[in-house]
Amino acid sequence: MSKHPTIAEHLAASGVSRRSFLQLCGTLLATAPVGLALTGKKSVLQIANAIGKTKRPSVIWLHFQDCTGCTETLLRTSAPDVAHLILDVISLDYHETLMAASGAQAEAALRSAMAENAGKYVLVVEGAIPTRDEGIYMQMGGRPALQVVREVAAQAAAVIAMGSCASWGGIPSADPNPTGAVGVDSIISGKPIVNLPGCPPNPYNLLAVVLEYVTMGKLPALDEYNRPKFAYERVIHENCPRRAHFDAGRFAMSFGDEGHRKGWCLYKLGCKGPVTHAACSTRHFNEIPGVWPIGIGAPCVGCTEKGVVWRMSTLETVPIHLATPPDTYPPIYSSAGKLKVGAATLVGAIAGAVGGATWVASQRFQSSQEAGIARVTADRAHAEKLKLSAEKQVPKKED
Amino acid sequence: MAITRRALFTTIAKAGVPAAVALTVAPKALQAEEVPLPSAAVGLLYDASVCIGCKACEAACAEANNTPEDISGDNLHQAPTDLNELTRNIIKLYKPEDGSPYSFVKRQCMQCLDPACAAGCPFQALHKDPQTGIVSWTADKCIGCRYCTITCPYHIPRFQWQGYNPRVTKCELCSDRLERGLKPGCTTVCPTGAVIFGPRTALLAEAKQRIKNHPGRYYQERVYGEKDNGGTQALYLSRVPFEKLGLPELGSESVPARTLRWQRRLYQYFALPALLYVGLVQVIRTSLGKHEEEAHEREKETGLRAQL
């Protein structure tokens, strides 16, 4: 085996079955379905082949102000194989929680990993970085965290911020933020940075981003906050399994009430789903369907959103608004059609014809005065005639 | 014909009487009367600024009224383009072309304090409940004249054009549900509290409180329906002008009150009808006289007696 084996070679050497690897690829296909060139492949086998041919990406994982929850979510997958597989697919060269070394040995491991894959490794950051007072609130090997992240990122090919803390500060940055905690993208510039906010984020998001990067050589499409669109484009509310209850107006009004037990919408309990961009509603945790906050009856806290979690109160309801409403609503005044030129002309022509005909006809009738005179004249003529005939008849009798 | 002094005075007197009557009647006619509020008036308060257009109230309305599915909108399920015989409650959208703020609006019966539909109905098929103030329709009394659909300034009552025994439908504030101690269907499901049910006095206080709490948010800082059209039991708050939402500016006097006021004044002391009668008699007398003159002249000429 070469010094930098491909993923397929490494898996074969470490005893991972082909079947398990294909299962992982299948899960990847199902969980990161849109927006990735990698999962645009037609079949699981093609994905497996594409991944298998790739050299194992070297990953350096740094912890700062964090709770290690993001690492835990990676390790606490329901099938024991998955974490193992993820760790075998990537070459995790430095990870403080998982490595056996400590102290000077660990420092040496970091340096050697950086030197071996300079410019090629992927840096995964977990946790926020304190910046106040020149970063003295967190020391690693005697150096401030601020200095460490700058050094390691300088030689990285890409930086992935794992979790909300690394993405925008997370809980250490909550008011009053005593350490001046910030996310990675506030410190590092000039490197491709992918934010995977979430507390914790779904580990498949990380896996998909890393594999997309090493097999296709490019990062997935990102949104304005550098979050990959395949996972963060839509709000939870859009695909929430409880959405039908929202639409029908069925809400749990308090924890443990009838509605809550029946699985109704948690909006009125402060669910932040309508403003939270994350794929939780379609990609559940630990590969168990229904395992995610709303799925187990806990309102979404909006952990992926900088402006929501730890800035809004838990039971506060969020505004539900769309930037532009769809046009599927009826307008205020339902359209009765517009008057067209042709129709107006036709109606005008008919009205004109009727009016003209009426006028012409009226001219042909005599006025009452004329009619009276005509009648009187006729009567007179008739009277004259009668008079004449009477005069004619009388002399005949005399004869 | 030369104008004699006598004729001139007669003409002036004839023209002066209606003018004097009009001058005495008109000022009285301009005074509006207050419409009394029913003792237990209930109503709706709809706040367009918090409505999200989810149409849950539409679905709940159909369910509460047990109406069959409405496919009048392009054969789409429950997507009508306007109120109709199956849809008593509808969410409409005001979306200006220029991109200025849009607004949804919920349209249903306003439950006017002085309903024009009831005033227009010749048989009291539409009737305002003296206690709750709910305007409802009675099938037994309806003759299908559709005056109610024409007189309503909000164009709410709808006639069942396709029916063999057609009905007039309008929101009756789920009066059957109220009797069972339930709220109207539309108010039970709103996720944002855009439409709420309650006694009208309480709703009006709530609306005024909202205006007070959010200065500058609501159009004209006023509640539509407090005074409009003599007052309605469905009250509206909005960010955009009410006319844009299909709620016309009708003034504080109700439509039937205005009609009734003018009608009363026209018949006061029977002055105008009497005047009209006198005028008509005068016209008939004048023309009859002329006609007789003509007939006599013709008789002289022809020797024939004209038949009058």
Side-chain angles (χ1 to χ4, degrees), chain A residues 298-367:
Chain A
C300 169
V301 296
C303 68
T304 65
E305 295 289 335
K306 186 177 182 179
V308 177
V309 69
W310 302 307
R311 280 170 180 76
M312 291 181 78
S313 86
T314 313
L315 294 174
E316 196 178 345
T317 52
V318 287
I320 304 169
H321 274 297
L322 299 167
T324 46
D327 278 334
T328 48
Y329 294 89
I332 300 298
Y333 300 103
S334 36
S335 60
K338 281 182 182 173
L339 191 63
K340 285 179 184 162
V341 183
T345 317
L346 188 67
V347 171
I350 292 169
V354 170
T358 311
W359 187 77
V360 168
S362 72
Q363 291 303 300
R364 294 195 177 174
F365 285 112
Q366 292 166 317
S367 70

Side-chain angles (χ1 to χ4, degrees), chain B residues 44-49 83 89-91 103-111 154 156 194-195 203-204 207-208 210-211 218-219 221-226 228 232-240 242 245-247:
Chain B
L44 301 173
L45 170 61
Y46 172 76
D47 189 342
S49 70
L83 293 173
N89 171 41
I90 194 167
I91 294 290
S103 178
F104 294 105
V105 65
K106 177 180 183 292
R107 296 309 307 275
Q108 79 294 314
C109 177
M110 304 289 285
Q111 314 290 352
Y154 302 106
I156 298 297
V195 60
L203 293 177
L204 195 57
K208 289 190 169 165
R210 286 189 196 183
I211 291 172
Y218 296 108
Y219 174 67
E221 311 244 307
R222 75 179 178 100
V223 189
Y224 188 95
E226 185 188 2
D228 303 75
T232 60
Q233 285 170 230
L235 305 169
Y236 280 76
L237 286 172
S238 166
R239 284 176 197 269
V240 302
F242 294 115
L245 302 181
L247 299 166

